[in-house]
Amino acid sequence: RPDPVPAAALRDREAADRSSPGHDAETGGGGGPAVPGRPRTKFSAAQLQELERSFREQRYIGASEKRRLAAVLNLSQSQIKTWFQNRRMKFKRQTQDAR
């Protein structure tokens, strides 16, 4: 049974992701050991503005909005999904700290 996605296509996609705007690896030292895989995404101010606007409208993102944001912001759908997960956790921490 052949692979559904050839390895070369995955490498090309990852290389394109790294070279497109908003995909710079963070250079500064930080928390614990780096997780293998894609480098940490450095979102641009415009990307963050649009992500925050979308989050204010709805905390949970639907598939069509995820596709739209990914296309508009030049990010992958998994990056959008992860950003929303992280943003919900930040929101939860902020609301718990406020009490």
Side-chain angles (χ1 to χ4, degrees), residues 28-35:
V35 177

Side-chain angles (χ1 to χ4, degrees), residues 13 17 38 66 70 75-85:
R13 173 70 189 161
D17 279 352
R38 100 170 2 265
K66 191 191 314 172
L75 296 168
S76 71
Q77 290 184 45
S78 65
Q79 287 172 307
I80 302 291
K81 177 190 73 137
T82 302
W83 186 90
F84 267 79
Q85 288 174 333

Side-chain angles (χ1 to χ4, degrees), residues 8-70:
L10 287 175
R11 280 194 305 275
D12 293 347
R13 173 70 189 161
E14 288 166 359
D17 279 352
R18 282 192 295 273
S19 65
S20 61
H23 291 79
D24 302 327
E26 186 174 43
T27 54
V35 177
R38 100 170 2 265
R40 181 182 174 122
T41 301
K42 181 82 168 90
F43 295 100
S44 71
Q47 287 171 326
L48 286 171
Q49 185 177 5
E50 182 64 16
L51 287 163
E52 289 287 352
R53 184 199 62 74
S54 185
F55 182 80
R56 280 192 304 273
E57 289 177 10
Q58 198 164 1
R59 286 191 205 128
Y60 287 86
I61 189 166
S64 62
E65 177 67 359
K66 191 191 314 172
R67 280 192 300 274
R68 185 193 73 79
L69 279 174

